[in-house]
């Protein structure tokens, strides 16, 4: 689009409102390493000035750095942009490309609709568009569809690589307490003897009693603590000791990694209407990968299978599935 045609779309009413420049990178790694993209996004200010906006009218929204464009969740900057456009404060919205503004077609078309209603222009690196114009709206819609398709292809490629490593048993995953990676990224028993002893004591106690509740009681009666490695926060990776709880016993008994097995795809994840993710443990025949004797463990596969059978018997006797749990918003919920 030539400069004359572009300038012809800009009216005095547009210039009386502000120009909003939206800047985003998908990950913090991109923010740090892909500085060229960030510079190109900031450089769009000169395009707005060339179209007639004063430098003081250009409002930069760059609070969504390191946020994915797959949805509006966690993107306060994008939500602010939509609100400003909806209130008629924006004469033009600037973004390097559609994928910077939104990867989700629903979010993109929502923005287009609001821009059309308020008479707000959209500018990207390729040109200037009026969402109220049918041809411009059609082109912007196609760009949004292509952006969402590109995201799908990127995810498919990444998942393909993950699955390939998983099928070979080489995928690096977070390990439960008692197992660690050595310098060669091989899974080994935790070198801390006290950690090993706590896990072995739990398994031996369950083998003797056949009850997860009995294990909890045995630890409590003896005043024993159980280890846990912090997964998040400033002390991530550190070992802490606390009271053994029933759900922790079940997690350990149901986890095949303690039997030296590599597994992938044990859980299904579903995003709910409120944005929280519900995670469900799948039946074994639905797991994506299961490789027994893949690394050292604390019990044999036969012992693990015997434990599963015992837990199933207990669940049937009590009319509940002790092993089936959902995780909602990070919290375990027994079913």
């Amino acid at each position: 689009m030539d400069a004359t045609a572009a300038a012809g779309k800009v009216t005095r009413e547009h210039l009386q409102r502000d120009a909003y420049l939206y800047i985003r990178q998908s990950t913090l790694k991109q923010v740090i390493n892909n500085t060229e993209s960030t510079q190109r996004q900031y450089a769009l200010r000169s395009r707005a000035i060339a179209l007639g906006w004063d430098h003081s009218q250009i409002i930069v929204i760059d609070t969504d750095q390191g946020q994915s464009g797959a949805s509006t969740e966690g993107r306060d900057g994008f939500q602010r942009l939509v609100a400003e456009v909806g209130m008629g404060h924006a004469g033009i919205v600037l973004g390097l490309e559609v994928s910077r503004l939104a990867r989700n077609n629903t979010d993109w078309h929502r923005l287009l609709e609001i821009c059309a209603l308020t008479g707000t222009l959209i500018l990207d690196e390729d040109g200037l568009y009026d969402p109220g114009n049918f041809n411009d709206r059609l082109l912007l819609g196609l760009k949004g569809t292509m952006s969402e398709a590109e995201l799908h292809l990127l995810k498919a490629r990444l998942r393909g690589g993950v699955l390939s490593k998983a099928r070979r048993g080489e995928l690096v995953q977070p390990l439960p307490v008692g197992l660690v990676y050595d310098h060669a990224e091989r899974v080994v028993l935790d070198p801390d003897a006290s950690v090993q002893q706590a896990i072995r004591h739990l398994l031996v106690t369950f083998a003797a009693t056949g009850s997860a509740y009995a294990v909890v009681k045995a630890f409590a009666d003896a005043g024993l603590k159980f280890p846990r490695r912090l997964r998040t926060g400033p002390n991530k990776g550190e070992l802490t000791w606390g009271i053994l709880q029933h759900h922790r016993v079940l997690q350990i008994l149901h986890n095949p990694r303690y039997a030296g097995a590599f597994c992938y795809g044990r859980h299904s994840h579903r995003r709910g209407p409120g944005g929280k993710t519900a995670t469900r443990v799948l039946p074994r025949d639905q797991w994506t990968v299961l490789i027994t004797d893949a690394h050292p463990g604390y019990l044999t596969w036969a012992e693990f299978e015997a434990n599963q059978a015992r837990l199933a018997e207990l669940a049937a006797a009590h009319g509940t599935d002790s092993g089936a749990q959902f995780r909602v918003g990070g919290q375990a919920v027994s079913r």
Side-chain angles (χ1 to χ4, degrees):
M1 182 180 293
D2 58 60
T4 303
K9 294 184 177 182
V10 180
T11 66
R12 180 177 298 178
E13 182 183 354
H14 289 127
L15 294 175
Q16 288 175 345
R17 291 183 272 169
D18 292 325
Y20 284 81
L21 172 58
Y22 181 78
I23 295 172
R24 182 186 66 81
Q25 293 277 50
S26 298
T27 65
L28 291 175
K29 184 177 180 181
Q30 289 180 349
V31 174
I32 296 171
N33 297 329
N34 193 9
T35 56
E36 184 64 29
S37 174
T38 303
Q39 291 174 5
R40 287 169 57 204
Q41 293 181 65
Y42 279 110
L44 288 176
R45 283 179 292 198
S46 62
R47 298 279 295 277
I49 293 172
L51 289 171
W53 273 271
D54 186 78
H55 186 276
S56 62
Q57 291 180 281
I58 302 174
I59 299 174
V60 177
I61 299 178
D62 55 5
T63 56
D64 290 344
Q65 295 283 42
Q67 296 289 334
S68 170
S71 73
T72 59
E73 184 181 351
R75 288 205 293 152
D76 295 336
F78 183 79
Q79 294 175 18
R80 176 194 168 193
L81 173 67
V82 172
E84 295 289 351
V85 172
M87 290 186 289
H89 297 166
I92 188 171
V93 171
L94 304 99
L96 186 65
E97 55 194 28
V98 170
S99 65
R100 296 304 95 200
L101 286 157
R103 286 282 196 181
N104 182 294
N105 239 346
T106 301
D107 297 336
W108 176 239
H109 282 280
R110 176 185 169 215
L111 178 61
L112 293 185
E113 183 68 28
I114 297 174
C115 285
L117 291 172
T118 58
T120 304
L121 302 175
I122 292 179
L123 181 142
D124 65 12
E125 200 172 40
D126 296 328
L128 179 67
Y129 312 93
D130 179 2
N133 177 279
F134 174 78
N135 289 329
D136 284 3
R137 179 77 169 268
L138 179 63
L139 180 56
L140 288 170
L142 289 172
K143 283 192 169 191
T145 299
M146 293 172 63
S147 177
E148 189 172 48
E150 181 185 24
L151 179 62
H152 172 77
L153 294 173
L154 288 172
K155 286 183 175 179
R157 292 192 193 106
L158 289 172
R159 177 161 174 77
V162 168
L163 286 175
S164 180
K165 283 189 173 183
R167 291 190 177 105
R168 298 194 305 268
E170 298 174 359
L171 182 66
V172 175
Q173 301 173 305
L175 295 174
V177 67
L179 296 170
V180 297
Y181 287 104
D182 65 9
H183 64 281
E185 290 192 341
R186 293 173 302 196
V187 179
V188 297
L189 302 185
D190 193 312
D192 189 326
S194 60
V195 172
Q196 288 193 31
Q197 184 179 0
I199 294 170
R200 294 187 194 282
H201 186 56
L202 183 154
L203 295 171
V204 168
T205 305
F206 179 78
T209 63
S211 167
Y213 282 111
V215 174
V216 173
K217 185 176 185 304
F219 269 71
D221 290 345
L224 299 176
K225 303 292 186 181
F226 197 79
R228 180 172 69 94
R229 287 206 181 274
L230 301 178
R231 293 286 185 89
T232 59
N235 299 320
K236 179 180 178 180
E238 288 188 8
L239 187 70
T240 63
W241 293 79
I243 297 173
L244 180 62
Q245 297 179 329
H246 182 253
H247 77 273
R248 288 278 287 137
V249 177
L250 291 178
Q251 286 174 352
I252 290 167
L253 294 173
H254 282 296
N255 195 330
R257 305 245 31 180
Y258 287 106
F262 174 90
C263 54
Y264 179 79
R266 290 177 63 214
H267 305 87
S268 68
H269 307 277
R270 186 181 71 243
R271 186 178 293 275
K276 292 184 177 181
T277 300
T279 302
R280 184 171 67 90
V281 180
L282 296 173
R284 189 184 301 174
D285 59 2
Q286 295 182 27
W287 296 0
T288 307
V289 179
L290 174 61
I291 304 173
T292 58
D293 299 321
H295 57 75
Y298 286 87
L299 70 167
T300 67
W301 185 252
E303 290 170 334
F304 175 78
E305 292 277 53
N307 287 345
Q308 302 313 295
R310 178 56 179 157
L311 290 168
E313 291 173 3
L314 290 171
H318 290 86
T320 59
D321 182 359
S322 300
Q325 287 189 336
F326 289 87
R327 296 192 71 84
V328 181
Q331 296 296 320
V333 181
S334 297
R335 183 175 67 177

